[in-house]
Amino acid sequence: MNLILLGPPGAGKGTQAKKLTDERGLVQLSTGDMLRAEVASGSALGVEAKKIMDAGQLVSDAIVIGMIDGRTDKPDTAKGVIFDGFPRTVAQAEALDAMLAKKGKKIDAVIELKVDDAALIERISGRFTCAKCGTGYHDKFARPKKDGICDKCGSTEFTRRADDNAETVKARLVAYRQQTAPILPYYQAKGLLHSVDGMAAMPEVAGQIDRALDGVKG
Ligand code: AP5
């Protein structure tokens, strides 16, 4: 089964993708994570991408389409993929359909996480990650069991994303509304779109996604 998780910054795409990965054995492909890995590596692409990401704008379609094309050739994607943060423009959605068709694959469902802007800003401003194993936390909604210690690996080092500041978040929300939201009618017209209430608590959102996927063949 190949799924897309669609929603504004902070909607919970990464949170729900990790849960689906654990429970269904699908591979999470996050273009945001791939771009952050390029930035961390100091590659030419990473240096270019960092400027755009720090401004809250979208990296070029050609770059992210190329990254996803290469990644969906890998054998671990055979059982299915969760696309997290991709596609983000109608051009990326069209390219994804064409790329999957060439590989004899298709998108089986698109899950839209609907969340109010005020909640998005609260979620993004409280988010932090274990610097060692990448487990995600939140100051209010998902604290480690023992303050300052990662539940999973015991590390005491945590990081916050450079683009999780008030000014960049505003630009990311504008980019979502102007460039990404137009994808919704594209998938609605194909009968693939399932909208869930992303304002609910994390387990309830997961339950809504499970119920939406129950009727999906893939
Ligand atoms: P990307 O990394 O994709 O970021 P994003 O879309 O802005 O999404 P986030 O990762 O911020 O949020 P999320 O929805 O995953 O929320 P999360 O689960 O963490 O992209 C970053 C940048 O890279 C872009 O701005 C762009 O520049 C570039 N880029 C990436 N892909 C691109 C593409 N395809 N094309 C062009 N450019 C691209 O949750 C947030 C917090 O809320 C967490 O702390 C979590 O614990 C908490 N939380 C989650 N669910 C709930 C809940 N139900 N209730 C309470 N708290 C919750």
Side-chain angles (χ1 to χ4, degrees):
M1 182 186 286
N2 293 308
L3 309 177
I4 295 171
L5 289 181
L6 202 54
K13 303 181 293 295
T15 302
Q16 297 299 331
K18 288 203 170 50
K19 201 161 182 305
L20 287 163
T21 298
D22 293 344
E23 289 170 2
R24 295 179 183 249
L26 306 174
V27 172
Q28 176 191 9
L29 296 190
S30 157
T31 40
D33 287 348
M34 291 178 191
L35 288 165
R36 280 184 288 279
E38 290 288 342
V39 172
S41 77
S43 68
L45 192 163
V47 171
E48 193 49 40
K50 183 172 172 19
K51 288 184 226 154
I52 299 166
M53 293 166 81
D54 285 352
Q57 289 163 3
L58 296 188
V59 173
S60 81
D61 288 338
I63 287 176
V64 289
I65 290 165
M67 288 191 322
I68 288 290
D69 197 7
R71 188 61 186 82
T72 48
D73 284 335
K74 300 262 161 69
D76 65 341
T77 62
K79 197 172 170 198
V81 167
I82 304 160
F83 294 98
D84 163 8
F86 179 90
R88 259 177 150 95
T89 62
V90 172
Q92 290 179 22
E94 289 169 347
L96 178 61
D97 280 344
M99 168 198 312
L100 291 178
K102 270 194 207 152
K103 301 174 206 234
K105 300 176 185 179
K106 63 177 174 44
I107 293 297
D108 299 298
V110 178
I111 305 285
E112 178 200 12
L113 298 169
K114 290 171 96 96
V115 181
D116 296 349
D117 281 6
L120 294 172
I121 289 163
E122 185 180 31
R123 286 185 190 181
I124 289 175
S125 55
R127 170 170 57 185
F128 61 100
T129 305
C130 171
K132 197 169 166 199
C133 72
T135 299
Y137 294 99
H138 191 279
D139 291 326
K140 183 168 164 192
F141 303 117
R143 299 187 63 84
K145 289 190 186 88
K146 279 190 187 167
D147 269 351
I149 301 175
C150 175
D151 295 346
K152 206 164 181 182
C153 74
S155 168
T156 53
E157 282 179 43
F158 297 88
T159 56
R160 292 187 190 249
R161 272 171 46 179
D163 60 346
D164 279 355
N165 61 77
E167 200 184 327
T168 309
V169 169
K170 274 187 212 147
R172 286 161 62 195
L173 287 170
V174 170
Y176 179 78
R177 276 191 216 101
Q178 291 183 346
Q179 291 167 274
T180 306
I183 299 178
L184 295 166
Y186 175 85
Y187 287 117
Q188 176 106 53
K190 292 175 182 285
L192 294 174
L193 187 66
H194 305 261
S195 295
V196 306
D197 174 17
M199 293 292 289
M202 291 178 220
E204 168 56 19
V205 177
Q208 289 181 53
I209 294 174
D210 279 340
R211 288 192 286 282
L213 295 181
D214 276 349
V216 173
K217 291 200 185 91

